[in-house]
Amino acid sequence: MTPLKANTIISFILLCVMLTLSDGAMSQRRRRPIAPGSVSDSLKKDTLQKDSSVLQGPAKKKQPLSAPVVYEANDSIVFTQGGYAHLYGKGKVNYEKIELGAQVISMNMDSSTVYAHGVADTLGNMQGTPVFKDGETPYETKTIRYNFKSKKGLISNIVTQQGEGYVVGNNAKKGADDELFMVGGKYTTCDHHDHPHFYLQLTRAKVKPKKNVVTGPAYLVVEDVPLPIAVPFFFFPFSSSYSSGFIMPTYMDDSSRGFGLTDGGYYFAISDKMDMKVTADIFTKGSWALGVQSNYNRRYKYSGSFQADYQVTKTGDKGLDDYLVAKDFKVVWSHRQDAKASPNSTFSASVNFSTSSYERTNINNLYNSQLMSQGTKTSSVSYSRSFPDQNLTISSTFNIAQTLRDSSVAITLPDLNIALSRIYPFKRKKAVGDERWYEKISMNYTGRLTNSITTKDDKLFKSNLVNDWNNGMSHTIPVSATFTLFKYFNVTPSFNYTERWYTKKVMRDWDSAAGKEVLTDTIHGFHRVYNYNTSLGVSTKLYGMYKPLFLKKKEIQIRHVITPQISLSAAPDFGSSHYGYYKSYVYRNSNNELDTVTYSPYSNQPFGVPGRGKQGSVSFDLANNIEAKYKTKNDSIRKISIIDELGASISYNMAAETRPWSDLSMRLRLKLSKNYTLNLNSSFATYAYEFDKNGKVVVGDRTEWSYGRFGRFQGWGSSFNYSFNNDTWKKWFGPKDEKGANDKKDEKKPGEDADEMTDGNGQTEKKVEKAKVDADGYQVFKMPWNLNFNYSFNIREDTSKPINEKSMRYPYRYTHNLSASGNIKISNRWNMSFNSGYDFEAKEITQTAFTISRDLHCWNMSASLSPFGVYKYYNFTIRANASVLQDLKWEQRSQTQSNIQWY
């Protein structure tokens, strides 16, 4: 071999070696650490072309999976020997309904297995831990090994949400039917599932996602402290669909009723528009209750709810004097019609009817002072229908008013109203020229039909429709017109006709033996009672402007508007025998003198009876309004009301033989703020008191003015309520620029959310906000609070006291009440509320209740106390917030008697 040939062979061998070493070095540079658990570390040539591929396998091999596996990674994808593919940097793998995302994913293409895990950052915190989703069920894990063909896998540190709670397990096995088998798992409703405040330690458990969790022996752990509370097994049902099911009852121990189970029953999922819940209570001493609740909702039509309860309460010992059986019922119905459902008809209902003792005997109300001390209840059902083409509206209402104190009930069924809107009967259809005077004449019609009764609630269904119910119908037809006289005076003539239809009248007489008035006869039939009157009114307005000499830069202008009105009215004497609306009888009084009593057989009818005496009165009314306007600092005009209205009215009856003057009525209205207007209405009697021949105080024929005195003050009553809170206090006493400073601090940058943020895997997690600080760097102290006051008072003559013979005035009686309620949020989790009041007449504190609650994140603690009032109680409860754990609670409370001895 020649030297040249030998050199050529050696050079070729070295070139092959260099090429081999170069290819290996390049593979080493592009290679990433292989995930733990991989079988082989040998490498193939890097065939990475894209970060996203579809694994189809060689064309000659049979496809082992029923669908392609789609995978991608943000960083790189490396294929190694043994059929492995390694995904780095937020890798994702999709197969049918299965989704897997993690920082590192290793797939074996031959065995169809996948292994995923996260990586630790420089601080040792795990990032990109696997999130596995099979269908609609997601799992948060530390590591996962899964087989696409068998659909089975091994999961470590699994976290999955089921219903209101979380199932956490150190190691779990996933079955082919998506169930999970775990040993030593946890179930908690605390969203801090990595370190929950409480959980149920599960020895063994089987989880069917979205269906149920079945466990073996389990015990409660609170703040990592095992409690001696254990159960042999647990069953937690879950359902993401609308379905029927049983409602588990709540255990209760009551001294007067005994041991019992309450609010247990069945829930009926009738349809997506309606449901129904049937519950029952039962106690060992014989008390029981049955209730039905239903909700319905038809979109764009109507919605509402219905509740009906019946309860039998047995207290005391049978055979003894304290044994009592109370049978009560309650009906609650709320119906709302969508405004778009029907433009010409409306139907609504707000019914809250119960027997008088229901609220006091219901076991759920015994620690609610407001329900226990409730005095009145009202219910109504109304329907209206309008006919725009005929200008006609028909409406009907069913009303119930209950007074729980004396068990009385007032029912109106029905209360029908027919209204014809104002029409101009003489108006020309095709008007030519100016409007004629008779075209201004207008009229309208109002008809009302009513049927009512006032009785005790236990006698309601025993009443007779003819004898016990009061019914009647009224028709009112006003005719009026408005004319302008001399450009400044408005003249309004009118004629009013009213007719009443009654079905009975009651005759009376004096029973000498009994010494009292008695009812002698009730005449049933059709009875017509009518009256009419005519009037003429004249009114105008007088304007006065005034510019004060002070504050000329403000350009203050004060406007005074005076509105005087004079009206004349006339009506015949409907008390004359010609009409027959009044009857009389003669009796012998205590002085053995004959006396005549005049009465009306229609006095107790729904629409009353026309008044006696001829009417020919002149009425005077004077109203004043004072407003001001001025320039502000920015040269805008601001208007304020000084006196919104100050008025007085009085009338004089020219046809009356005695006491022609009416009482003087005065009114005052002040707009103190945008939200509150003070109204003062009072009257002053015109005629003075005097003594009759028997020494009794009566209203005489002489006026108070004839004695040199102003009219006798009749009394006045009003109420005042106000709410104080943080904003009110800050507005009154806080710095003026604080609001603007806080607004700037509260401003968000574009795209910034104050409550949520997105992590690296696209998951939404809570964001912890920094505490706000003031200008000096101290944390802003916030304690939201609200305080409501209501004060009502009444001033009236106290005729039960002796009169002052010099001034001929009775002393005045003052009655006033004060009520208060409020709440204060001590911190983000502490909250306090109260309601109380003071009765100045009884000189005692009214029913009072205090409540304090603490949000314990996944638990809630509350305590209520009522130390004053008729019903005294205390109640302390700590319970889990989740409804599925409604029986996981501890409660300590007073007994249900109202005669608790505190000391």
Side-chain angles (χ1 to χ4, degrees), residues 253-286:
D253 178 14
D254 185 74
S255 61
S256 60
R257 294 170 174 80
F259 299 98
L261 297 175
T262 62
D263 294 331
Y266 196 83
Y267 178 81
F268 296 91
I270 300 175
S271 67
D272 58 348
K273 298 181 179 65
M274 183 179 182
D275 67 352
M276 185 174 66
K277 181 173 68 173
V278 180
T279 58
D281 303 345
I282 186 170
F283 292 88
T284 56
K285 291 188 177 182

Side-chain angles (χ1 to χ4, degrees), residues 60-81:
K60 296 181 180 180
K61 292 184 179 180
K62 184 179 180 180
Q63 176 59 262
L65 299 177
S66 59
V69 178
V70 181
Y71 57 92
E72 63 179 17
N74 286 355
D75 188 356
S76 60
I77 300 176
V78 177
F79 297 94
T80 60
Q81 292 181 352

Side-chain angles (χ1 to χ4, degrees), residues 298-331:
R298 187 176 179 184
R299 184 175 295 181
Y300 307 123
K301 293 291 184 179
Y302 53 79
S303 62
S305 62
F306 177 80
Q307 174 187 349
D309 295 325
Y310 181 80
Q311 63 184 25
V312 177
T313 305
K314 298 180 179 180
T315 57
D317 297 321
K318 194 172 184 179
L320 299 180
D321 295 338
D322 63 345
Y323 184 70
L324 179 64
V325 178
K327 298 180 180 180
D328 300 287
F329 71 92
K330 181 177 184 179
V331 176

Side-chain angles (χ1 to χ4, degrees), residues 70-189:
V70 181
Y71 57 92
E72 63 179 17
N74 286 355
D75 188 356
S76 60
I77 300 176
V78 177
F79 297 94
T80 60
Q81 292 181 352
Y84 279 90
H86 306 284
L87 284 67
Y88 299 99
K90 298 181 181 180
K92 293 183 180 179
V93 177
N94 294 333
Y95 172 71
E96 293 183 341
K97 296 182 179 180
I98 298 173
E99 298 179 10
L100 175 62
Q103 189 70 18
V104 179
I105 302 176
S106 297
M107 294 188 302
N108 191 314
M109 305 178 189
D110 297 331
S111 60
S112 302
T113 60
V114 63
Y115 175 79
H117 65 89
V119 296
D121 58 12
T122 56
L123 300 177
N125 299 320
M126 295 299 297
Q127 299 291 334
T129 53
V131 177
F132 180 81
K133 187 176 182 180
D134 189 352
E136 296 181 356
T137 307
Y139 305 97
E140 297 179 21
T141 68
K142 186 176 181 181
T143 62
I144 181 172
R145 190 182 301 276
Y146 185 76
N147 190 302
F148 290 116
K149 293 177 65 177
S150 64
K151 297 186 178 180
K152 297 181 180 180
L154 295 176
I155 306 174
S156 65
N157 298 93
I158 182 175
V159 178
T160 175
Q161 184 175 2
Q162 302 296 327
E164 296 180 78
Y166 297 86
V167 179
V168 183
N170 293 329
N171 294 287
K173 180 180 179 182
K174 185 180 182 303
D177 295 329
D178 202 23
E179 69 272 15
L180 294 174
F181 303 90
M182 61 179 61
V183 177
K186 302 175 184 178
Y187 178 80
T188 180
T189 57

Side-chain angles (χ1 to χ4, degrees), residues 392-428:
L392 185 67
T393 301
I394 300 176
S395 62
S396 179
T397 306
F398 163 44
N399 297 313
I400 301 178
Q402 289 181 267
T403 304
L404 304 181
R405 182 181 63 258
D406 57 0
S407 304
S408 64
V409 56
I411 297 180
T412 303
L413 176 65
D415 190 356
L416 179 65
N417 291 270
I418 304 172
L420 179 66
S421 59
R422 186 175 298 276
I423 60 173
Y424 295 84
F426 305 109
K427 206 172 193 63
R428 293 169 294 174

